[in-house]
Amino acid sequence: MSQSLTSFADLLRAAERSAVHLEMRDAYGAENEIEGFAAWREGHRLNPDDRDSWWRPWLDLVQEVTNKGVVMRRARIVSEPLSDYIRFEHSGTFTNVAAGEQIRWLPRRHASDLALPGNDFWLFDRRLVQFNIFDGSGQWVHTDQTEDPAVAQLCASAFEAVWERAIPHEKYSV
């Protein structure tokens, strides 16, 4: 399934209680991050005090959804030592937190005994799962969605197991 930000935004806005996201890759090839990643590699860092320089439509959406009471949580399973991409993600995660998202990091070595789905996913209200399918270089390929209760339960259990072990963003240093 091909998906635009607008249709994903509609999914997120439709959430009533929760939206959780599990990320398990050490690099993503997101086209909209190429320039920012290159600038970060050259030493540019976002200034937390200059919100206008980093606030963007995604953060407006996060704030809109969390302000209506939806709990948004993201857990990232990462290899250590961290890839440059994950260090880049970490340096900008304060923006997601400022918008209302809760984020934790789990070193991959602490996830070895967890049963995890094969792909990153979003789980909305513990019932709708959206798997994000990437190719080997981290390029997004498509999404798969299901409301199968067994799959939703698997993803909910996996996310909660990761969340319980993961380190809150403000305590995870790179």
Side-chain angles (χ1 to χ4, degrees), residues 25 27-31 34 132-142:
R25 297 183 55 88
Y28 293 88
E31 300 258 339
I34 292 171
N132 294 318
I133 312 302
F134 297 91
D135 68 15
S137 64
Q139 297 289 323
W140 177 81
V141 177
H142 69 273

Side-chain angles (χ1 to χ4, degrees), residues 21-160:
H21 187 193
L22 183 61
E23 296 179 349
M24 298 181 284
R25 297 183 55 88
D26 286 319
Y28 293 88
E31 300 258 339
N32 64 332
E33 292 180 335
I34 292 171
E35 287 181 29
F37 185 38
W40 178 87
R41 291 180 108 171
E42 294 295 320
H44 173 67
R45 299 298 182 265
L46 298 176
N47 179 351
D49 297 325
D50 185 11
R51 181 179 168 132
D52 290 339
S53 71
W54 48 262
W55 199 262
R56 55 192 183 272
W58 167 250
L59 300 173
D60 287 331
L61 178 60
V62 171
Q63 188 171 50
E64 173 189 335
V65 170
T66 58
N67 280 348
K68 76 173 193 173
V70 174
V71 176
M72 281 187 70
R73 296 183 295 159
R74 179 186 311 247
R76 293 177 170 143
I77 298 174
V78 295
S79 298
E80 292 179 325
L82 299 174
S83 68
D84 280 351
Y85 181 85
I86 294 298
R87 290 180 28 239
F88 160 70
E89 265 195 338
H90 186 274
S91 75
T93 292
F94 74 89
T95 65
N96 299 68
V97 173
E101 198 173 351
Q102 301 170 37
I103 300 179
R104 293 188 180 180
W105 304 81
L106 181 64
R108 193 171 308 281
R109 70 181 182 277
H110 297 302
S112 296
D113 62 339
L114 298 179
L116 300 169
N119 293 290
D120 291 8
F121 65 85
W122 279 90
L123 174 61
F124 302 96
D125 293 328
R126 298 181 67 95
R127 66 165 188 76
L128 172 65
V129 180
Q130 177 172 293
F131 290 105
N132 294 318
I133 312 302
F134 297 91
D135 68 15
S137 64
Q139 297 289 323
W140 177 81
V141 177
H142 69 273
T143 59
D144 291 330
Q145 290 181 354
T146 182
E147 292 188 60
D148 180 321
V151 176
Q153 180 57 44
L154 167 75
C155 291
S157 296
F159 183 87
E160 294 305 329

